[in-house]
Amino acid sequence: MTEEQHLQTLSDIKRIMERSSRFLSLSGLSGVFAGASALAGAGTALVLFRAYYDRWEVRGHYDDADFSQLRLQLILLGFVVMFLAAAGGLYFTWRRAKKNNLPIYDATSRKVLINGMIPMAAGGAFIVGLMYNSMDVLVAPSCLIFYGMAVLNASKYTVSDTKYLGIAEIALGILNVFFLRRGLYFWAVGFGVMHIFYGIVMWWKYERNAVEE
């Protein structure tokens, strides 16, 4: 066996071991799509906020029913954005897995889901508690922090670069705590801009060559 063949064998063994221990089908395009969905959602939320404050200005006083309506609209908008991001992520991940002849659901993908869902579920319950106690101003930073924890926790079983996104989301959420009235902008940066940047980097690093081939 030549040295080149020996190196190729080692490379094949390493690739097989990575596939058995890490979920490598996550697509950078999933991040781009999720980020675009988040930015669209943030833009829609901004329109809703402006319409709400315009009505307040015309009315001349705070109206509890109007605020409750805005709150409900924002909650529904959040669910729509999450659904779109999840659907897009699933589609692009499925497409990449199919192209590489890899299963989309196996032991490693289950580990990613479980390790990601635990912080997400805890964060969801925490955020519901905040809203129940009318502490809505803490919702945006809490979303960023718990989502970052979920990404960081799941990164052990997928592409290692994912942990940097998780760390960045946590840091941004903590920073948001010091600027509570700017939650929508932090939300847009964290879930929108950061996801798009991360997705482009991941696509360039792991998927570009496959497309060119």
Side-chain angles (χ1 to χ4, degrees):
M1 180 181 290
T2 65
E3 183 178 352
E4 183 177 348
Q5 290 174 325
H6 182 67
L7 292 174
Q8 181 61 43
T9 300
L10 290 176
S11 178
D12 291 340
I13 293 173
K14 180 182 178 182
R15 185 163 56 251
I16 292 171
M17 291 179 65
E18 284 183 340
R19 287 185 176 183
S20 64
S21 62
R22 289 179 178 270
F23 183 65
L24 303 177
S25 295
L26 285 178
S27 173
L29 296 179
S30 299
V32 174
F33 186 85
S37 299
L39 288 179
T44 304
L46 186 60
V47 171
L48 293 174
F49 271 115
R50 286 178 175 173
Y52 168 75
Y53 284 113
D54 285 344
R55 292 193 301 272
W56 188 344
E57 186 175 345
V58 171
R59 194 170 51 242
H61 61 85
Y62 169 80
D63 183 84
D64 189 62
D66 198 16
F67 177 75
S68 296
Q69 180 183 358
L70 172 66
R71 201 183 193 201
L72 178 60
Q73 289 173 332
L74 293 174
I75 292 172
L76 292 175
L77 177 62
F79 278 113
V80 170
V81 171
M82 283 193 294
F83 174 79
L84 288 175
L90 183 62
Y91 168 73
F92 287 112
T93 298
W94 169 81
R95 193 177 72 166
R96 188 182 182 199
K98 183 179 179 181
K99 185 175 182 179
N100 294 329
N101 294 316
L102 294 172
I104 191 173
Y105 187 72
D106 56 12
T108 53
S109 62
R110 284 196 296 273
K111 289 178 181 178
V112 171
L113 286 173
I114 292 171
N115 281 269
M117 286 306 298
I118 291 174
M120 290 280 281
F126 182 78
I127 290 167
V128 169
L130 290 177
M131 297 182 69
Y132 178 78
N133 288 285
S134 299
M135 301 174 71
D136 298 24
V137 73
L138 291 172
V139 168
S142 298
C143 285
L144 291 167
I145 291 171
F146 279 101
Y147 176 71
M149 291 170 62
V151 172
L152 185 60
N153 205 38
S155 68
K156 296 178 291 186
Y157 301 102
T158 185
V159 181
S160 60
D161 304 78
T162 309
K163 66 176 177 286
Y164 300 115
L165 175 64
I167 293 170
E169 297 283 359
I170 293 171
L172 190 66
I174 293 172
L175 182 62
N176 187 186
V177 174
F178 296 93
F179 303 93
L180 288 176
R181 301 296 174 182
R182 297 292 182 267
L184 179 60
Y185 300 105
F186 279 88
W187 199 91
V189 172
F191 292 110
V193 177
M194 282 188 178
H195 267 111
I196 292 174
F197 177 75
Y198 158 80
I200 292 173
V201 170
M202 291 299 99
W203 181 87
W204 185 267
K205 188 173 182 179
Y206 297 106
E207 300 174 60
R208 177 175 58 95
N209 292 333
V211 172
E212 291 177 351
E213 291 172 1

